[in-house]
Every structure is written in C-alpha cells, then in structure tokens.
Amino acid sequence: MALVDVSEALKSLSSTMESIEAVLDLDTMRADIAALEQEAADPALWNDQDRAQKVNSKLSFLQGQLRKVEELHGRIDDLEVLFELAEAEDDADTRAEAEREMVSVRKTVDELEVRTLLSGEYDEREAMVSVRAEAGGVDAADFAEQLQRMYLRWAERRGYPTEVLDTSYAEEAGIKSTTFTVKAPYAYGTLSVEQGTHRMVRISPFDNQGRRQTSFAGVEVLPVVEQTDHIEIPENELRIDVFRSSGPGGQSVNTTDSAVRMTHLPSGIVVSCQNEKSQIQNRAAALRVLQARLLARRREEEQAKMNALKGDGGNSWGNQMRSYVLQPYQMVKDLRTEHEVGNPQGVLDGDIDAFLEAGIRWRKQQEQPTG
C-alpha cells in the first residue's frame, strides 16, 4: 500500500469515526451510563427483576459501545505510527502487520457505522421473533427449526439473553412455529431486516428417493411492547383457552392444562404460549406476544396512511428475501441486497452479521427520498 494511499485511508477512517461519534453523541452516552450505574447500584432495583434486567442490559450495551469507540480511536492512532515505522525502516513485516490491522479496524468501524443507521422509532427495543413453517411439508418444518436455531445461536454468540415463549412441534420432524424474544438493546432494529420468506433448496433427508426439495419458512420480527406504548386490551375482547403442553412426537411436557391460547376477538389474532411451567406465566407471556402483534398492526395502519398521502404503494421490497441452497451448489443469497456467501452451514450456525449489516444499509437506502 503506497504512503499516499495509507494517508487517505487513515483520513477516511478518522472522518467516518467523527460522523459516528456525532450520531452516537458520546457526551449524552456518558451521562446515560452514569445514570444507569447509579440506578444499578440501588439494591431496591432487584425487587423488579424485569426492570433490573433491562437496566443492566442497557448499561452493558452502552459501556460496550463507548469502550469500542475509545479503543478504535487508539487503534487508528497506533496505525499511523505503525505505517510510519514500516516506512522509516523499510520493514516488510511491519508493513504487512499494519495492513492487516487496517483491514481489521475498517471492519470494526463499518460495524459501528451500521449501529448509527438504527434510528427508527422502535429500533432500540428488544425483539420478538416468530418463525413458522410454510410450503414444503416436513422439509419446511425442519427448515423452520433450523432458522430458530440460527437466530438463537446468533444471539448466544453475542451474549444476548433469549426466552422461548412458544414452540409448536410438527408430527414427523421440526416445528410448525415458534416465538422467542432476544433481550438486548437494538435487537429489534438489527433483526427486523430478517422479516420475510426464507427459502431452502436441498436433497430432502425425508425423501427415500433422495430428490431435491424446495421449502419455505416465514420470519416475523416485532418490537417488544413497553409500558409507554399504551396497548390496552379489555378483558371482554379476549377469549382464553387452556390446553396441555406437548413436546416433540406428542410427548407430554406437562401433565396439567398449563398452556394458553389467547384470541383477540376484534382482530382475530390468535397467539399461544406453552413454554412456562404455570398457566399464569403462560398467560402473561401470551399477552406480551398479543400486545406486540397489535402494536405492529397499529404501525402498519399508520404507515399505510402515510403511504397513501405520499402516493406510495407501500412496502416495495417484496416478501421472499433470502435463499439457502445446499444442493446442487452451496450458497446463501439475500435477494434484496445481493449479499451472498458460499458457506450455508456457517450461516445456519448463526454467522449472519454480514447479512444483517447489508440489510440495514439497504433499508436505509430505500428510505432515502428519490428524485
């Protein structure tokens, strides 16, 4: 890398960092950290477990963000010194080390820049993710279970707590549907680009003739409802049925009727929860899912009104958004962003950050006014 190129690259990194810091507003971030630290130090906070978890999660997230910004500053300064040293001593090994560090720093800066693009109304919320098997029979049920594992592994890699609220198992293999939460700041903004239909092409392990099968699974991502959302549901608008929880193969998980199915009569929305041990816990979890779905419906109605005013036909990026091809070749490709990788197993094991980043950048471009 020529010296003038190095100088330009370092200027570009520093300029991007200035833009990131302006959006993140480090002074406000430090003030928020101080306030959260004070709140976390209050022993009474743990009287409300949910509140305590949210405070500690947000504190940990902001501390991590601030630390990443400060460390990046140091790494960019060190890079300049390293390149100057390599040039002064004409040292090929030092230059190679500096170039590797440049690539690493650029990747980290790009990841941090993506975070600044999450500025939607609910982007900083925790996420509620639902996956359901669609066309494709038992292969679709198996694919849906693979997608559930993919997202849970992604969250695990990042140290994000998750809670599975409901899983409906298919008869032969896989799942009919599942709903789980990812409890981390900006989980909704990050994962919301996953919404849509996912398609898998492979030799079916369930076909004794070894034929290729195409199957589909749908992903829905909602922001977790908070008290400020005012999603009130009168009791007379609910029908609540209880039933016995069941696991794979119809085995009984619970010998009591603890699972809850909740129907919102005005909208016809039906949700269920069976992963908690008691009916009271399942009822509370089902209510959270229902509130999230009603919040999403309210947002869709508001967006439809805005689109009507703008003369826009609505969401234009289509429903089918990613294909996972295992046979006759190996490829995962996002149909909106064109981002693709040749390692489907890595993706299905939770390595989806590059797809998330590409999706977030693509969505931001779609939001830019045209003309």
Side-chain angles (χ1 to χ4, degrees):
M1 189 179 286
L3 193 59
V4 66
D5 291 342
V6 169
S7 177
E8 287 301 316
L10 289 170
K11 275 184 191 172
S12 171
L13 282 172
S14 296
S15 174
T16 304
M17 282 301 297
E18 285 176 13
S19 300
I20 289 171
E21 288 173 21
V23 173
L24 294 180
D25 189 355
L26 299 190
D27 288 340
T28 299
M29 188 183 284
R30 289 187 181 98
D32 289 344
I33 288 171
L36 287 166
E37 284 174 337
Q38 191 172 354
E39 192 172 356
D42 182 358
L45 175 66
W46 290 97
N47 294 336
D48 183 344
Q49 293 282 335
D50 284 345
R51 175 67 186 158
Q53 188 179 55
K54 279 187 167 63
V55 167
N56 280 282
S57 178
K58 187 160 189 182
L59 176 58
S60 175
F61 176 80
L62 290 177
Q63 286 172 331
Q65 291 280 294
L66 185 60
R67 187 165 55 247
K68 187 178 280 189
V69 171
E70 291 171 344
E71 285 174 356
L72 272 173
H73 260 305
R75 289 175 70 186
I76 292 170
D77 291 342
D78 291 346
L79 256 181
E80 195 167 357
V81 173
L82 203 57
F83 273 113
E84 285 174 359
L85 185 64
E87 187 65 27
E89 299 187 2
D90 195 21
D91 185 337
D93 289 343
T94 303
R95 187 177 294 109
E97 181 190 344
E99 287 174 359
R100 284 194 299 273
E101 175 66 355
M102 174 84 86
V103 171
S104 175
V105 168
R106 169 54 71 186
K107 183 174 184 294
T108 309
V109 169
D110 286 346
E111 289 170 358
L112 196 57
E113 187 180 28
V114 167
R115 151 69 180 85
T116 68
L117 302 178
L118 299 178
S119 55
E121 183 181 359
Y122 300 103
D123 280 356
E124 65 179 40
R125 299 277 185 95
E126 297 174 358
M128 184 176 290
V129 183
S130 294
V131 182
R132 66 188 178 281
E134 294 186 341
V138 65
D139 280 278
D142 185 62
F143 180 34
E145 188 168 42
Q146 289 187 60
L147 288 179
Q148 178 195 35
R149 179 182 180 275
M150 179 180 82
Y151 294 124
L152 293 176
R153 288 281 290 128
W154 172 82
E156 182 186 338
R157 285 176 174 210
R158 288 175 159 250
Y160 295 165
T162 55
E163 180 186 4
V164 178
L165 301 176
D166 181 60
T167 303
S168 174
Y169 292 94
E171 290 176 13
E172 190 173 338
I175 59 175
K176 295 176 184 175
S177 63
T178 184
T179 298
F180 55 92
T181 53
V182 179
K183 299 180 177 182
Y186 290 94
Y188 170 70
T190 303
L191 289 172
S192 56
V193 294
E194 291 294 292
Q195 179 148 314
T197 299
H198 297 238
R199 178 181 68 137
M200 175 173 273
V201 181
R202 63 172 175 175
I203 299 294
S204 172
F206 308 102
D207 186 333
N208 54 22
Q209 296 180 45
R211 288 174 293 193
R212 198 161 71 222
Q213 174 75 24
T214 300
S215 53
F216 299 86
V219 175
E220 176 188 55
V221 185
L222 304 172
V224 169
V225 170
E226 294 182 355
Q227 289 180 344
T228 54
D229 293 321
H230 306 300
I231 302 292
E232 301 295 335
I233 307 175
E235 281 287 328
N236 62 4
E237 291 187 356
L238 292 176
R239 186 177 75 236
I240 298 170
D241 303 301
V242 295
F243 58 100
R244 187 162 295 177
S245 300
S246 61
Q251 292 176 323
S252 176
V253 168
N254 199 319
T255 55
T256 61
D257 290 341
S258 64
V260 171
R261 182 180 299 108
M262 192 172 283
T263 305
H264 184 240
L265 299 172
S267 66
I269 295 173
V270 180
V271 300
S272 61
C273 187
Q274 60 177 329
N275 281 50
E276 301 292 350
K277 288 191 173 71
S278 78
Q279 189 183 122
I280 292 172
Q281 289 172 309
N282 279 322
R283 179 177 170 136
L287 187 60
R288 292 206 306 273
V289 178
L290 178 57
Q291 287 175 321
R293 295 238 161 101
L294 289 173
L295 177 64
R297 173 167 287 200
R298 188 171 77 187
R299 290 176 62 210
E300 286 167 6
E301 289 169 353
E302 290 168 357
Q303 187 62 47
K305 288 177 187 172
M306 291 298 294
N307 289 339
L309 291 172
K310 291 189 294 185
D312 186 348
N315 213 343
S316 60
W317 49 272
N319 199 27
Q320 196 174 132
M321 50 81 68
R322 187 175 304 144
S323 63
Y324 306 70
V325 181
L326 307 187
Q327 193 73 26
Y329 53 89
Q330 302 264 306
M331 177 73 71
V332 180
K333 181 173 183 177
D334 192 295
L335 306 177
R336 306 156 305 168
T337 67
E338 301 293 316
H339 181 77
E340 59 184 48
V341 299
N343 180 16
Q345 290 309 322
V347 172
L348 291 168
D349 199 36
D351 186 8
I352 59 172
D353 284 320
F355 284 101
L356 296 173
E357 289 170 23
I360 291 165
R361 291 182 186 279
W362 176 87
R363 179 175 62 192
K364 199 68 178 177
Q365 288 173 349
Q366 301 302 302
E367 291 170 358
Q368 300 297 325
T370 56

